[in-house]
Amino acid sequence: MRILDRYILTRFTFNFVSSFVILMFIFIFQTIWLFIDDLAGKGLDIIIIGKFLFYLMPDLTEKVLPLTVLLSSILTFGSFAENYEFAAMKASGISLQRAMLSLIVFVVLLGGVTFFFANSIIPLSQRKIYNLRKNIAKVKPAAVVAEGVFSDFEGMNIKVDEKYGDNDRYLKNVIIHQKNNQSKNNVVIKSKQGELVSSEDSDIVQLILTDGHYYDDIESKKNKLKYPHAKADFDTYIMNIEIPELNNEDLEAERDISTDKMKNISRLKKDIDSLKDDNYRIVRAFSKSISNRIGMFQPLDPNDTTETRTSLQRKQDSIRQIKLDLLRKNPARQDSIKQDLIYLFPEYLKVQVINSAKNATTNILNSVRGKKEEMQKRYKIYNMHILSMHNKYALAFSCIILFFVGAPLGAIIRKGGLGLPMVIAIVLFLVYYFIGVFAGNYAKEGNIHPMLGAWLSTLIMLPLSVFLTKRATEDKGLMSFGVVTDFFKNLVKKKSKNEDDDS
């Protein structure tokens, strides 16, 4: 029996390693294609590009590892079934569960390694990637300027139609929106040509613009209706951009910036509690501020000896008394006086009261809208932290679930090789992956709970694994078409019999 377990484990390990290598190469090439604009033609050393791809590999394991487990299990058990090795095992009294026992232990250990990878290695690689990309943009200014779109760079937005020359130093058709102290784009600069010039002995990058126009929308408090501005043409315009420690910049220097993907479980738990408390405190403070502004929930008056009537209640009693006096004097306007408090004021104050109420209401609504947008962003960050924490557990558990999907499925379809098993594995993985992506996006926006967003795709695969394992254990096919055809035959016979009885 030990020889059989060793044989099955060897076959599975070989398929697992070969599938992992092939899939990793495929995903690496896909990553190179996605980041080709950020890496190619920037004057970067091949070592830096290699480090960038090396740091991306741990993040790719989130996609590669579940697909590898699924594909290797289908290949292994499909090959056993195709070569009648399962038939020999069953003839010897070895069930499917017993044949899978050594692999179950292996996959459980693999799930533990995957959790360690997701909790420790992937956050570290995410931080390395972030720092490397930021420092590349800092050392190579041309790398941060993209063609055809506006790029945010050192207090300005820059757009160029084309970059060419050594290290993309020459720019064509440059448009610059320069920001002021209030982060407004009041200055617009256009030029036909531009050049980025740097020196090893200087911390300054010079942006030399030629043959262009300068426009400045001047803010004037005295003459708001005249819209004053300044406009000039230039042959050469030089802008100095200071970048500290430009040529001594360490491309792997650490920055004190971290997102949810850069944190492990313990840090995520701590930050989740902190974000929850901060959100609750902000909502409470804002609610109290709005309540005070509109006069709600007035406290008890300390001078009130009865301690049962607030100042607001006494004001309401006085208003009610004034209404009664008005009703006695003007019985014809009884309905309007009951519904509208504006009749309590003299004519010359009515307009002021209405305008004051409208302004106060508008200000409160604007404050509520602004705070709502702020809290939506804060709750999105909170949801992303919860989602990232549960994704680490779900990734490890998904490897086990997908094994119980792939192994019985391979025994059912009875096909080895990279043909049909590869197609089935990719289809199942795409279903699993896209369900996870959609659930994650819904969870970030708060439409579903983040815990459900992380576990939904795995929970959907769980009943499929139970169903396939049961079918493979009972030596049944993937689907019994006889049951379906018999159902429709009986339905037709029953319908024809009822028609005969009616006739």
Side-chain angles (χ1 to χ4, degrees):
M1 195 64 68
R2 292 182 179 178
I3 297 175
L4 177 62
D5 291 337
R6 193 178 301 127
Y7 173 70
I8 295 174
L9 187 59
T10 302
R11 291 278 295 273
F12 181 82
T13 305
F14 174 78
N15 290 327
F16 179 84
V17 173
S18 58
S19 300
F20 183 82
V21 172
I22 293 172
L23 293 173
M24 183 60 74
F25 269 110
I26 293 173
F27 278 87
I28 287 176
F29 280 117
Q30 180 199 19
T31 303
I32 294 174
W33 179 260
L34 292 175
F35 290 97
I36 190 68
D37 291 337
D38 294 338
L39 301 176
K42 308 301 182 185
L44 301 177
D45 298 333
I46 190 66
I47 297 177
I48 299 301
I49 297 176
K51 285 183 178 180
F52 183 80
L53 296 177
F54 177 75
Y55 293 148
L56 278 174
M57 289 178 64
D59 187 52
L60 295 177
T61 55
E62 286 187 300
K63 306 179 184 69
V64 173
L65 204 55
L67 180 57
T68 301
V69 172
L70 181 62
L71 178 59
S72 58
S73 57
I74 294 177
L75 288 173
T76 302
F77 285 84
S79 177
F80 286 158
E82 185 180 20
N83 297 325
Y84 298 101
E85 291 175 282
F86 263 137
M89 293 180 192
K90 292 178 180 179
S92 302
I94 300 174
S95 62
L96 176 65
Q97 288 84 351
R98 179 60 187 84
M100 294 169 59
L101 182 59
S102 59
L103 296 183
I104 292 173
V105 176
F106 176 81
V107 171
V108 171
L109 294 176
L110 179 65
V113 173
T114 303
F115 175 75
F116 169 77
F117 217 77
N119 188 42
S120 301
I121 307 300
I122 293 178
L124 181 61
S125 69
Q126 287 289 329
R127 181 179 292 275
K128 290 287 187 181
I129 292 170
Y130 177 84
N131 291 325
L132 188 61
R133 292 188 69 183
K134 284 294 183 182
N135 292 329
I136 285 174
K138 194 173 182 181
V139 174
K140 304 289 182 180
V144 80
V145 181
E147 293 182 351
V149 296
F150 280 99
S151 303
D152 192 6
F153 179 60
E154 295 297 327
M156 63 182 72
N157 294 319
I158 302 178
K159 176 186 175 183
V160 298
D161 288 347
E162 183 181 352
K163 298 185 294 183
Y164 59 96
D166 297 336
N167 296 329
D168 288 340
R169 60 182 294 185
Y170 296 105
L171 312 175
K172 186 176 181 181
N173 293 333
V174 183
I175 300 176
I176 299 176
H177 290 180
Q178 197 167 10
K179 301 176 182 178
N180 58 12
N181 296 331
Q182 288 78 30
S183 298
K184 295 181 180 180
N185 295 328
N186 289 343
V187 177
V188 179
I189 304 173
K190 293 184 179 181
S191 69
K192 294 182 179 180
Q193 300 290 335
E195 181 183 1
L196 288 168
V197 179
S198 61
S199 173
E200 294 182 358
D201 301 327
S202 176
D203 293 338
I204 301 295
V205 172
Q206 286 188 337
L207 176 58
I208 303 175
L209 304 174
T210 57
D211 191 9
H213 310 279
Y214 179 96
Y215 178 87
D216 186 0
D217 187 7
I218 301 173
E219 292 186 356
S220 177
K221 295 182 179 179
K222 296 182 179 180
N223 301 318
K224 292 184 178 180
L225 298 178
K226 294 183 179 181
Y227 300 106
H229 65 275
K231 183 179 180 181
D233 300 331
F234 59 84
D235 294 328
T236 302
Y237 184 80
I238 299 176
M239 302 178 64
N240 293 326
I241 304 173
E242 183 178 0
I243 302 180
E245 301 181 4
L246 172 66
N247 298 291
N248 297 323
E249 183 73 22
D250 183 7
L251 286 177
E252 298 188 65
E254 295 292 332
R255 298 168 183 261
D256 190 19
I257 299 175
S258 60
T259 62
D260 56 290
K261 291 185 177 180
M262 302 179 189
K263 302 173 183 177
N264 55 21
I265 294 292
S266 59
R267 176 68 183 277
L268 283 170
K269 289 182 178 178
K270 181 179 178 181
D271 290 349
I272 287 171
D273 293 337
S274 178
L275 288 170
K276 183 178 179 181
D277 293 339
D278 289 343
N279 292 341
Y280 181 76
R281 176 180 53 80
I282 292 172
V283 171
R284 290 279 297 177
F286 182 73
S287 176
K288 184 177 180 180
S289 174
I290 294 296
S291 300
N292 292 334
R293 288 171 63 180
I294 63 178
M296 293 175 61
F297 310 115
Q298 294 290 334
L300 289 173
D301 190 346
N303 297 323
D304 191 349
T305 56
T306 61
E307 296 185 356
T308 58
R309 304 190 64 79
T310 65
S311 60
L312 179 62
Q313 289 173 330
R314 290 198 299 274
K315 290 177 182 178
Q316 291 175 346
D317 291 341
S318 62
I319 292 172
R320 191 177 295 110
Q321 185 61 41
I322 295 173
K323 278 187 175 183
L324 292 175
D325 295 339
L326 288 173
L327 287 173
R328 295 191 190 98
K329 296 178 181 179
N330 302 288
R333 303 175 62 182
Q334 180 176 355
D335 295 336
S336 59
I337 292 175
K338 287 183 177 180
Q339 296 175 2
D340 200 344
L341 292 177
I342 198 65
Y343 289 102
L344 299 177
F345 299 93
E347 290 294 334
Y348 69 93
L349 288 179
K350 289 181 181 180
V351 176
Q352 297 181 14
V353 171
I354 292 174
N355 290 335
S356 177
K358 287 174 63 177
N359 293 334
T361 305
T362 302
N363 292 334
I364 291 173
L365 290 177
N366 290 334
S367 299
V368 171
R369 292 191 191 99
K371 185 60 67 173
K372 180 182 178 181
E373 294 178 359
E374 177 189 347
M375 295 309 301
Q376 285 177 342
K377 295 178 181 178
R378 295 185 65 89
Y379 277 114
K380 185 175 181 179
I381 296 174
Y382 173 72
N383 292 334
M384 289 171 65
H385 277 69
I386 299 177
L387 184 66
S388 295
M389 183 180 69
H390 286 279
N391 274 333
K392 300 180 189 301
Y393 295 107
L395 178 63
F397 195 68
S398 66
C399 294
I400 302 173
I401 294 299
L402 291 178
F403 169 76
F404 282 99
V405 172
L409 187 60
I412 290 173
I413 63 176
R414 299 178 182 180
K415 286 290 183 180
L418 292 175
L420 182 61
M422 175 68 84
V423 174
I424 294 176
I426 291 176
V427 171
L428 286 174
F429 176 76
L430 288 177
V431 173
Y432 163 82
Y433 179 73
F434 282 117
I435 290 175
V437 170
F438 287 126
N441 291 336
Y442 276 108
K444 290 177 184 178
E445 300 298 331
N447 297 322
I448 60 175
H449 195 278
M451 183 186 299
L452 180 60
W455 286 95
L456 184 61
S457 57
T458 304
L459 294 177
I460 289 177
M461 288 295 170
L462 180 60
L464 180 62
S465 65
V466 174
F467 171 75
L468 291 176
T469 303
K470 182 179 180 182
R471 300 287 295 185
T473 303
E474 297 173 353
D475 201 15
K476 295 181 180 180
L478 184 60
M479 183 177 294
S480 180
F481 290 97
V483 176
V484 179
T485 55
D486 290 342
F487 171 77
F488 284 105
K489 286 180 181 180
N490 293 332
L491 187 63
V492 171
K493 290 180 179 178
K494 185 177 180 180
K495 184 177 180 181
S496 60
K497 184 178 179 180
N498 292 334
E499 290 178 353
D500 294 339
D501 292 340
D502 293 339
S503 60

